């Protein structure tokens, strides 16, 4: 697997941030935590990891724009490129001592995602992709699962958060999907959910209410592993609509049909 210099910059930034997160994960009870909104926490670990990533990426490419969860967007002087970064995806897991969280870094060029890194420091799993170059888990090339029938499938999802999203609508989606698939899973890190689809661990995934930094890298991972990704309108404006449905060609289509099934009138 040959990585471009640019992808290597992203990998180094993710590994360095991952080291910082691992240290903080070991002493999670001593971390300073603040509340952004109901059920929405951020810690010193998030801020430290974002600073590491920001500094590494901008040292290598000072003219690129930078969109990270924990700071105001920085418009680059280079109009074409933008980093999209979630320094810690799965903060709630992290703060509860659950080793299911990730660093997510994407590179966008002229509005298209062309590079992706998702790293889970707790399992040392490094997911990478470049547009046209395939997706990898460490050194292994990834391929989405090949199951074609929903009743054989394990499907990942996100659950709306306290005070956010349409809880009633989600329950309808869940009920419909539950009636069709072998099993449903919820990790709590959308970037990892998407990496799991790329790795063929999940057959599909859907979530509404995501931010660009939750999905940007994962979208490229899924596509480069041969998967299909759409928004809830059937288009590809996932970042603009905050919604995503993915899987292999067959499961993506079947899952979209089930998730969007109308709410029963009685
Ligand atoms: P985070 O840990 O970076 O905030 C899981 O469904 C996704 O939702 C994760 O990517 C998580 O990202 C995000 N998330 C978790 N709690 C949230 C909240 N209270 N409001 C908005 N997004 C949240
Ligand atoms: Ca957050
Ligand atoms: Ca996130
Ligand atoms: Ca985050």
């Amino acid at each position: 697997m040959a990585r471009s210099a640019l992808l290597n910059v992203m990998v180094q930034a993710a590994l360095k941030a991952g080291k910082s997160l691992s240290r903080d994960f070991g002493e999670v009870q001593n971390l300073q935590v603040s509340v952004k909104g109901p059920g929405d926490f951020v810690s010193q670990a998030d801020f430290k990891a974002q600073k590491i990533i920001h500094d590494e990426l901008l040292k290598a490419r000072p003219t690129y724009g930078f969109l990270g969860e924990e700071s105001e967007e920085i418009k680059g002087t280079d109009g074409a490129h933008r980093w999209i970064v979630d320094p810690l995806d799965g903060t709630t897991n992290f703060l509860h001592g659950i080793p299911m969280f990730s660093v997510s870094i994407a590179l966008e060029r002229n509005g298209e995602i062309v590079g992706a890194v998702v790293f889970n420091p707790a399992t040392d799993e490094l997911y990478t992709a470049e547009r046209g170059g395939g997706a990898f888990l460490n050194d292994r090339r990834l391929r989405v699962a090949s199951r074609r029938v929903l009743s054989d499938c394990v499907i990942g999802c996100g659950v709306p958060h306290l005070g956010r999203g349409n809880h009633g609508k989600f329950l309808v989606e869940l009920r419909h999907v539950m009636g069709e698939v072998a099993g449903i899973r919820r990790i709590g890190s959308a970037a990892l959910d998407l990496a799991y689809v790329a790795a063929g661990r999940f057959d599909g995934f859907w979530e509404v209410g995501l931010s660009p930094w939750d999905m940007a890298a994962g979208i490229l991972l899924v596509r480069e592993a041969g998967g299909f990704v759409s928004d809830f309108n059937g288009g590809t404006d996932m970042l603009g609509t905050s919604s995503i449905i993915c899987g292999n060609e067959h499961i993506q289509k079947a899952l979209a049909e089930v998730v969007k099934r109308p709410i029963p009138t009685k």
Side-chain angles (χ1 to χ4, degrees):
M1 170 201 36
R3 282 183 194 143
S4 73
L6 209 46
L7 191 68
N8 265 325
V9 166
M10 295 162 70
V11 166
Q12 289 317 313
L15 294 178
K16 200 166 168 186
K19 256 193 194 145
S20 169
L21 290 174
S22 291
R23 274 197 299 273
D24 284 334
F25 192 58
E27 295 198 39
V28 77
Q29 65 286 352
N30 299 327
L31 280 180
Q32 229 180 298
V33 179
S34 40
V35 184
K36 296 207 245 182
D40 192 2
F41 304 100
V42 63
S43 74
Q44 276 317 110
D46 301 61
F47 293 126
K48 269 198 266 176
Q50 176 151 328
K51 178 158 184 0
I52 289 168
I53 296 165
H54 171 273
D55 291 355
E56 287 287 314
L57 296 180
L58 290 210
K59 188 171 72 189
R61 294 293 187 278
T63 60
Y64 288 13
F66 185 94
L67 175 66
E69 183 182 2
E70 308 307 346
S71 58
E72 289 291 306
E73 179 165 11
I74 301 167
K75 297 273 181 215
T77 52
D78 167 322
H81 293 91
R82 179 167 75 147
W83 306 108
I84 304 178
V85 172
D86 194 336
L88 171 48
D89 189 46
T91 297
T92 304
N93 283 347
F94 184 92
L95 294 175
H96 284 251
I98 301 168
M100 302 288 272
F101 53 87
S102 61
V103 176
S104 176
I105 303 177
L107 175 63
E108 200 183 57
R109 180 178 297 140
N110 297 318
E112 274 201 70
I113 307 157
V114 296
V117 175
V118 172
F119 178 49
N120 179 351
T123 58
D124 243 335
E125 290 184 315
L126 177 71
Y127 299 86
T128 55
E130 289 186 272
R131 203 180 60 171
F136 295 83
L137 166 48
N138 299 327
D139 290 334
R140 185 165 61 83
R141 179 98 190 233
L142 295 180
R143 180 84 207 155
V144 291
S146 57
R147 291 177 197 87
R148 284 176 173 232
V149 182
L150 274 181
S151 56
D152 292 336
C153 287
V154 168
I155 301 294
C157 67
V159 178
H161 305 283
L162 186 60
R164 290 183 58 143
N166 187 333
H167 293 206
K169 186 165 167 287
F170 171 73
L171 287 174
V172 174
E173 292 168 7
L174 185 63
R175 194 176 179 152
H176 285 151
V177 177
M178 253 193 302
E180 303 281 349
V181 307
I184 296 182
R185 299 288 183 271
R186 204 275 170 154
I187 295 183
S189 160
L192 274 188
D193 286 311
L194 292 167
Y196 273 36
V197 174
R201 293 174 178 175
F202 285 173
D203 298 279
F205 169 72
W206 93 97
E207 186 163 358
V208 187
L210 291 174
S211 298
W213 45 78
D214 302 317
M215 311 186 250
I219 288 168
L220 187 66
L221 290 174
V222 173
R223 284 183 173 153
E224 288 297 325
F228 280 55
V229 184
S230 85
D231 60 31
F232 264 52
N233 306 323
T236 53
D237 187 18
M238 285 73 70
L239 303 197
T241 61
S242 309
S243 64
I244 189 164
I245 307 175
C246 65
N248 71 29
E249 185 181 358
H250 309 282
I251 296 305
Q252 196 279 336
K253 216 165 146 229
L255 182 60
E257 190 275 312
V258 175
V259 165
K260 294 195 295 183
R261 222 173 254 171
I263 298 176
T265 46
K266 56 173 191 163

